[in-house]
Amino acid sequence: MRKIRAGIVATLSAFALAACSTVGGSASPSAAPDGGGGGEGGKKVAFVSQVEGVPYFSAFKQGATETASSLGMSYTQAGPATADATEQVRIFNSLVQQGYAAIAVSPLDPRSMNPAIAAARKKGIVVITSDADAPDSERQVFVQQATDAALGATVMDQIAEKMGGQGKYGIVSGAADTQTFNSWVAEARKRQEAAYPKMQLVGGVRYTTDTAQALKEAQDLMTANPDLKGLIAVPSTAVPGVAQAVQNAGKAGQIAVSGFGSPKTARTYVDSGAMTSTVLWDVPQLGILTVWAMKQLLDGKEFTADNTVPGLKQPVKYDAGHKTLVLGPPMVFTKSNIAQFDY
């Protein structure tokens, strides 16, 4: 087991990713706030990621930086080196003290971020959430990748198609107290119960905190259920562990595996056949929408039911009741398209 854990940690070093949402992993040393380029002399806007220096948030920065420049603003992106909620709050507060006009954040822990958001709003700073939400905070809008219902249904449809709509499946999720993961799992189960009544969840939802634990939970599910036909890995830290467990068991192609991982994280396993697919969204476009939303609020403009955003092909819908801008439907990455995406 020690050799297996060492192997998976080595694999992860090449595929480290922040958890959405939703995505978690290791990164380079803690990123202090610094300029991200664009719009010299314009208003300063910033985004605080969950973990800085990983492919997911680097792709986010690409779209955000280009958009800020086109809108005449200066963009900064910063985040902790690891998934550290206390450090994330410190970085957020530092940006507040530096006088940024607008700050977006992907909260690791809404409970700890809520007071910081409230304090920033009292200073007149525009504050929004993006990628992950703090629904009970004073944030002005949540820029959401896709609806929880769409994400849950999509990942369930992916394994159900390969399972022929029947048989046993398992779910390996992230930390039990992570609202985003729990919502995706709940929606996936709703989809299964409504559309695939002949499928059966076994072993309950297995909660994990890292890739090695995800590998073990997937192994345990396969051992306890030799006829297991499908697995869902919820955060990106679980994706390599679950896929590696299936590959180690020699069941690639026999067990349908999908989950919420970036193309770069999942590509090795999709190419090998250990994963059926991975489900996510267009990350650079999420960066585009986030910066555009901050600009709208800074300019005192209202969101409409359907918003035309420069750089995005489809109109972005706004839910006034929940104060949410939804980027669009999820994206599914398979062998046919996964090599086209570098995040």
Side-chain angles (χ1 to χ4, degrees), residues 2 11 15 19 50 63 67 115 125 163 174 191 210 220 222 257 289 330:
R2 287 183 180 178
T11 300
F15 299 109
Q50 292 188 356
T67 300
I125 297 171
M163 291 172 61
R191 177 66 170 173
D210 57 38
D220 290 348
M222 288 187 290
V257 180
L289 180 56

Side-chain angles (χ1 to χ4, degrees), residues 205-226:
V205 179
R206 300 296 183 98
Y207 297 103
T208 64
T209 57
D210 57 38
T211 300
Q213 189 178 356
L215 183 148
K216 182 180 183 304
E217 293 294 346
Q219 287 177 326
D220 290 348
L221 282 167
M222 288 187 290
T223 299
N225 303 275

